Amino acid sequence: MSKEFSGIVKAWEFTVKKSQAAAKKRAKNTIFATMSVAHVDDELDTPGEIYYAEKILNNGDIYTGQWSDNCPNGHGKYLWSDGCMYVGDWVKGKTMGKGKFSWPSGATYEGQFKNGYMDGEGTYTGCSNDTYRGCWVINMKHGKGTRDYVNGDHYEGEWRRGQPDGQGRYQWNNGNQYIGQWRNGKMNGNGTMIWANGNRYDGSWEDGFPKGNGTYRWGDGSFYVGIWSNDSREQSGTYYPSSSRTGTFDWDPQDVYSIDLLECQISPGERISVYPSQKMVSWPCEGEFLQKLPIAKTPRANDAKSRRNSVDGYSWGSEADTSSNNDNVYSGQERESSEGLRSFSADDLDSSRGFRPHCIKIQPTKKPGQTISKGHKNYELMLNLQLGIRHSVGRPAPATSLDLRATAFDTKEKIWTKFPPEGSKHTPPHQSSDFKWKDYCPLVFRTLRKLFKVDPADYMISLCGNDALRELSSPGKSGSFFYLTNDDKYMIKTLKKSEVKVLLGMLPAYYNHVRAFENTLVTKFFGLHCVKLNGPAQKKVRFVIMGNLFCTEYAIHRRFDLKGSSHGRVTEKPESQIESTTTLKDLDLNFIFRLQKVWFQEFCRQVDRDCDFLEQERIMDYSLLVGVHFREVSGSGEPVTTETRSSGVRTPTANVDQGGDGSTPRLSRADMDLLFDPSGWASIRLGINMPAKAELTMRRSDFEAQLVGEPTGQYYDVILFFGIIDILQNYDISKKLEHAYKAFQYDPTSISAVDPKQYSKRFQDFVLKVFAEDT
């Protein structure tokens, strides 16, 4: 511990002993006696006045610094009784801005804070000199950063959720180094390991070990090329000696796993014992003053400036007030001109601005679709699909490389198989009628399943197990039928012949795109097949197997299909009839979804990449499908509003008021589950399982002219699922005719059928208004 810090602690101990008696006496008279808050004078502070103060808390903690509205506001120092200390900026009782937090162990964090969290640029130095310099998001290393470990190791690169994730370089203290991709703190993806002796491995990695195609090179120029696996039965390759190496060479590729990589363990590093946000106390900043100040019933729905100036983002009023009816207070607004605190209600908005009121009611969730059992008109077709898929997936095939030849994408690359009822040499007997089965580009789709990390056995069990498929209640606009597997993992969609041609035509570019961008939002395709029924009709049913975007343990309370067009993009259903399975459209959307900064930036980049790919392939009429799970729903079926504007997961705060009086932020059960379950963080991907804020919007009465409503400042904690679907419609002659016909009757910019370039621009412009950065 430094001399300066030691001196501060000694002075603090003396002050605490001297004032303890007086502190206890005053605590009896304060209404906050049972809470960890500062003593307050009998007379309330003048609202907005900032002055220097010294405050003693009931538990012996001390605050000295700028004070306003009965809580720290400005620059100040806080000393906890356990030896922790914070010196820096405060806003409304929260550490906000630049500051330094010190632990009794000697560890320190110096950098940016936001709402009590380490958030922004900052440096953490552990008691053992384990040091991280870089970006933080909600107490976690997230973004670009470097770390010097106590054992001498060094990492520089990208972080996600507290672990190396993305592109990075790790240097061991023995001279070995790895340069490449990471996932969840392990070497994963393409990368290069260089040993201090000059040997190196270039290739694929999985969970910290070489897996897949790779090359091992020696310093003398010899090399080994092959498929790598820590299971010797899967290992195969060829050794090429250099011209300088003579005689026999006794070497086993498994030595890389058992010997070479033993010296390449990732250091666990020093753990933070307690986070600054967990030390924050509750201050009487809001509730008391709001009860005494007059509330002006003036609507401020689109006052962007006043929203920005509400730094703490609290919503005042009890949880019951904000969830029991539509006349609730949306949010507190604070203005720089010190006009006081304003609030507005839905009624005020409706009457003064011409907004359309919207009450959100969550209906009980249910599984979509009807189980296809014996007697169903498509029961026999389902049996044929399952027989064919079992045959395709179970067919023996050699190990495939991710580098496919052009011949694998040939549209003539297909396999026909006959399925007589009595069975054949290659097919089992079955109870269905005689049919033929066609596999399109089987090698490509087998490799795609490998690329998407789909286990063949699990895939077969989901599609062909004892559980029947479920048919969705009605076909889509295109006339296609949809079927879901019982475990919700996969969706089967019937296709028109023209759609099959589009998919086969774009397959090479699609394969390269999904391989290059792991976070792509476009639909994942796992197989393309055809069933031809024998008999007079000779009916052909073509279908594609896709990933189901809403395969999750969370209930999807709202789903939106968004295109960025307005003509016909509304669901004519009252709120009371909207179920969890109802697909709403652009003009039904009443939210802006706010993502954390790093996720929003990645979202913008990926939408741009995906739209560019679809534009190059002349694809249009696609949608962004969004599923919304409200993390807290009241007993009456209404989502519960949040009490702060801070996005994402909050760490628990000390002595948080559980009374629901609106004076302090509360930690929801969903927050707790996600915080203390590491697998919850690990399952978050772009478009999958994403924590976010949904801000309620209000649309004017002339709503067709307004795709995105006015933000209200009322927020909900949500989990989002989203992806780009319906990517098999190109701008063919039928769509050109549709555009020409509708352009005469309606605004050409409001219809869906437009040129792919125009469609892509309009889609991106709209999506980036619906999604925004959480500030």
Side-chain angles (χ1 to χ4, degrees):
M1 186 181 295
S2 66
K3 291 182 179 179
E4 181 185 0
F5 184 77
S6 178
I8 292 172
V9 171
K10 286 180 180 178
W12 158 75
E13 287 176 346
F14 175 78
T15 307
V16 169
K17 288 177 182 178
K18 186 176 179 181
S19 59
Q20 192 69 44
K24 289 181 179 178
K25 184 177 179 180
R26 284 195 297 269
K28 293 179 181 178
N29 299 323
T30 176
I31 60 173
F32 301 104
T34 60
M35 296 172 58
S36 180
V37 300
H39 295 303
V40 292
D41 298 328
D42 293 337
E43 293 186 8
L44 293 173
D45 301 338
T46 303
E49 179 187 356
I50 298 177
Y51 61 95
Y52 180 85
E54 295 182 0
K55 300 288 180 177
I56 303 170
L57 280 74
N58 297 339
N59 60 3
D61 295 353
I62 297 176
Y63 172 80
T64 59
Q66 290 178 302
W67 186 268
S68 173
D69 291 345
N70 226 24
C71 59
N73 214 344
H75 190 82
K77 175 169 63 179
Y78 192 104
L79 292 165
W80 282 267
S81 58
D82 62 2
C84 292
M85 180 176 68
Y86 171 79
V87 181
D89 297 333
W90 298 76
V91 175
K92 291 291 184 182
K94 291 284 188 182
T95 54
M96 181 92 74
K98 291 185 178 180
K100 182 177 181 179
F101 190 94
S102 306
W103 285 262
S105 63
T108 62
Y109 169 83
E110 187 167 4
Q112 294 288 333
F113 286 81
K114 181 180 178 183
N115 287 328
Y117 304 104
M118 300 184 290
D119 200 304
E121 293 286 334
T123 300
Y124 173 84
T125 305
C127 58
S128 56
N129 284 326
D130 186 327
T131 304
Y132 170 82
R133 300 177 183 85
C135 296
W136 299 75
V137 173
I138 318 177
N139 292 337
M140 290 182 297
K141 305 171 188 72
H142 197 102
K144 298 282 187 182
T146 62
R147 185 169 186 176
D148 294 302
Y149 296 86
V150 66
N151 65 353
D153 293 356
H154 174 83
Y155 174 82
E156 181 178 359
E158 295 176 331
W159 295 75
R160 182 170 293 177
R161 300 183 297 277
Q163 295 182 336
D165 198 305
Q167 192 71 20
R169 179 178 68 87
Y170 193 103
Q171 176 99 33
W172 282 267
N173 58 10
N174 58 13
N176 300 340
Q177 66 172 316
Y178 170 83
I179 304 168
Q181 295 175 320
W182 296 74
R183 179 186 288 176
N184 294 331
K186 296 181 180 179
M187 297 169 282
N188 201 99
N190 293 321
T192 299
M193 174 72 77
I194 304 173
W195 282 269
N197 61 8
N199 296 348
R200 62 184 289 161
Y201 168 83
D202 300 272
S204 297
W205 296 75
E206 187 176 292
D207 290 333
F209 297 99
K211 183 69 181 290
N213 293 320
T215 303
Y216 188 93
R217 300 177 187 275
W218 284 265
D220 64 0
S222 303
F223 61 95
Y224 170 89
V225 181
I227 297 174
W228 292 75
S229 173
N230 54 8
D231 184 345
S232 58
R233 295 171 297 180
E234 298 177 0
Q235 179 88 37
S236 63
T238 305
Y239 168 69
Y240 298 90
S242 67
S243 56
S244 61
R245 180 167 290 187
T246 58
T248 59
F249 180 58
D250 185 19
W251 178 79
D252 185 351
Q254 291 299 303
D255 290 347
V256 173
Y257 299 92
S258 59
I259 300 174
D260 296 359
L261 290 175
L262 284 180
E263 300 176 346
C264 301
Q265 301 297 316
I266 308 301
S267 175
E270 181 181 316
R271 297 180 66 86
I272 299 176
S273 57
V274 61
Y275 291 101
S277 58
Q278 293 174 291
K279 303 293 291 180
M280 291 299 103
V281 298
S282 304
W283 301 96
C285 300
E286 304 91 9
E288 283 294 298
F289 284 97
L290 284 174
Q291 292 170 14
K292 297 177 182 295
L293 290 175
I295 301 298
K297 300 287 282 186
T298 306
R300 310 289 302 178
N302 65 339
D303 190 343
K305 182 177 180 181
S306 65
R307 279 198 303 277
R308 283 197 299 272
N309 292 329
S310 182
V311 236
D312 57 333
Y314 287 169
S315 289
W316 291 286
S318 71
E319 184 175 299
D321 293 338
T322 58
S323 63
S324 60
N325 56 60
N326 200 40
D327 300 327
N328 58 316
V329 177
Y330 283 136
S331 69
Q333 305 288 336
E334 182 183 50
R335 301 185 63 191
E336 284 180 333
S337 56
S338 301
E339 290 180 3
L341 298 169
R342 301 178 181 270
S343 64
F344 54 88
S345 70
D347 284 346
D348 296 327
L349 283 171
D350 300 340
S351 59
S352 64
R353 295 294 304 261
F355 285 104
R356 303 171 68 235
H358 198 105
C359 174
I360 304 173
K361 192 79 171 177
I362 303 299
Q363 303 293 340
T365 56
K366 59 182 181 181
K367 268 196 169 187
Q370 174 190 5
T371 301
I372 303 176
S373 54
K374 198 165 186 178
H376 191 282
K377 62 178 182 179
N378 288 324
Y379 179 71
E380 193 168 286
L381 176 62
M382 182 191 73
L383 293 181
N384 295 345
L385 298 183
Q386 292 180 324
L387 284 166
I389 292 169
R390 190 180 292 116
H391 172 74
S392 297
V393 178
R395 184 190 301 122
T400 57
S401 164
L402 294 180
D403 298 317
L404 298 177
R405 296 179 179 177
T407 53
F409 297 93
D410 192 335
T411 55
K412 296 179 181 178
E413 186 70 17
K414 59 190 85 167
I415 299 175
W416 277 105
T417 306
K418 291 183 179 180
F419 278 81
E422 65 276 8
S424 68
K425 182 179 179 181
H426 303 289
T427 62
H430 57 87
Q431 297 179 349
S432 183
S433 60
D434 190 10
F435 71 94
K436 287 183 179 179
W437 174 262
K438 184 195 288 188
D439 259 338
Y440 294 92
C441 298
L443 180 60
V444 176
F445 285 103
R446 182 183 292 271
T447 311
L448 278 172
R449 293 195 293 270
K450 179 181 177 181
L451 186 66
F452 294 139
K453 295 180 172 52
V454 174
D455 182 77
D458 292 341
Y459 182 72
M460 197 183 301
I461 290 171
S462 293
L463 289 159
C464 312
N466 295 328
D467 296 319
L469 303 177
R470 300 198 313 276
E471 183 180 61
L472 298 190
S473 55
S474 62
K477 185 179 177 182
S478 64
S480 299
F481 284 86
F482 294 86
Y483 304 92
L484 276 173
T485 57
N486 193 62
D487 59 8
D488 290 331
K489 284 185 179 180
Y490 304 102
M491 179 176 285
I492 299 171
K493 178 186 178 182
T494 61
L495 299 180
K496 296 181 289 189
K497 187 176 182 179
S498 60
E499 291 176 312
V500 172
K501 287 183 176 179
V502 170
L503 179 52
L504 291 175
M506 68 186 285
L507 198 53
Y510 172 84
Y511 179 83
N512 292 331
H513 183 76
V514 298
R515 185 181 178 187
F517 303 111
E518 184 183 18
N519 284 336
T520 180
L521 298 174
V522 298
T523 306
K524 289 181 170 62
F525 294 124
F526 301 116
L528 182 62
H529 312 284
C530 175
V531 169
K532 182 179 180 182
L533 303 175
N534 288 338
Q538 293 283 300
K539 181 182 177 182
K540 286 185 178 180
V541 180
R542 303 170 184 87
F543 62 94
V544 65
I545 302 173
M546 310 177 292
N548 178 23
L549 193 60
F550 299 151
C551 177
T552 172
E553 60 186 18
Y554 291 109
I556 302 297
H557 297 127
R558 285 289 183 273
R559 54 189 76 201
F560 297 93
D561 182 279
L562 307 175
K563 292 180 182 288
S565 58
S566 59
H567 176 65
R569 301 295 296 162
V570 65
T571 303
E572 300 293 346
K573 275 189 176 184
E575 182 70 28
S576 59
Q577 294 181 17
I578 295 176
E579 299 178 338
S580 60
T581 55
T582 304
T583 301
L584 303 171
K585 298 179 183 177
D586 300 63
L587 294 177
D588 302 308
L589 181 66
N590 55 329
F591 296 106
I592 292 174
F593 301 113
R594 300 193 179 277
L595 305 178
Q596 293 173 19
K597 181 178 180 179
V598 287
W599 283 119
F600 178 68
Q601 290 173 344
E602 177 62 21
F603 174 76
C604 294
R605 285 192 294 266
Q606 196 56 55
V607 167
D608 180 63
R609 294 165 184 153
D610 290 340
C611 287
D612 184 58
F613 155 68
L614 294 171
E615 183 185 331
Q616 295 297 323
E617 295 301 310
R618 303 289 294 164
I619 302 296
M620 42 77 68
D621 214 20
Y622 44 87
S623 310
L624 184 74
L625 184 63
V626 181
V628 182
H629 167 81
F630 293 99
R631 296 173 70 173
E632 287 194 76
V633 178
S634 69
S636 60
E638 295 170 351
V640 177
T641 56
T642 62
E643 293 179 343
T644 70
R645 288 186 58 179
S646 58
S647 182
V649 181
R650 299 186 296 274
T651 43
T653 55
N655 300 303
V656 170
D657 176 21
Q658 298 297 324
D661 66 354
S663 62
T664 57
R666 293 173 64 253
L667 196 69
S668 69
R669 290 188 300 273
D671 285 333
M672 294 290 289
D673 292 343
L674 199 55
L675 256 176
F676 298 110
D677 178 14
S679 63
W681 280 113
S683 63
I684 298 173
R685 290 288 180 267
L686 185 65
I688 301 173
N689 208 31
M690 294 197 68
K693 287 275 198 260
E695 182 177 8
L696 187 70
T697 60
M698 286 283 187
R699 190 173 280 107
R700 295 190 301 269
S701 299
D702 55 336
F703 63 93
E704 273 211 41
Q706 187 186 28
L707 270 177
V708 181
E710 300 275 357
T712 64
Q714 182 169 340
Y715 293 82
Y716 302 91
D717 268 327
V718 296
I719 301 290
L720 295 182
F721 300 83
F722 51 83
I724 298 175
I725 63 168
D726 295 337
I727 63 170
L728 299 181
Q729 178 61 62
N730 61 0
Y731 197 51
D732 58 12
I733 185 64
S734 65
K735 286 295 177 182
K736 291 176 181 177
L737 290 172
E738 181 185 342
H739 172 78
Y741 174 73
K742 288 185 176 179
F744 275 113
Q745 298 178 298
Y746 311 103
D747 178 2
T749 62
S750 71
I751 59 179
S752 294
V754 294
D755 176 84
K757 187 172 184 179
Q758 181 184 345
Y759 193 96
S760 173
K761 184 181 184 306
R762 183 180 66 185
F763 179 83
Q764 291 185 69
D765 290 344
F766 173 65
V767 163
L768 296 184
K769 290 177 183 175
V770 173
F771 284 79
E773 180 184 334
D774 181 23
T775 56

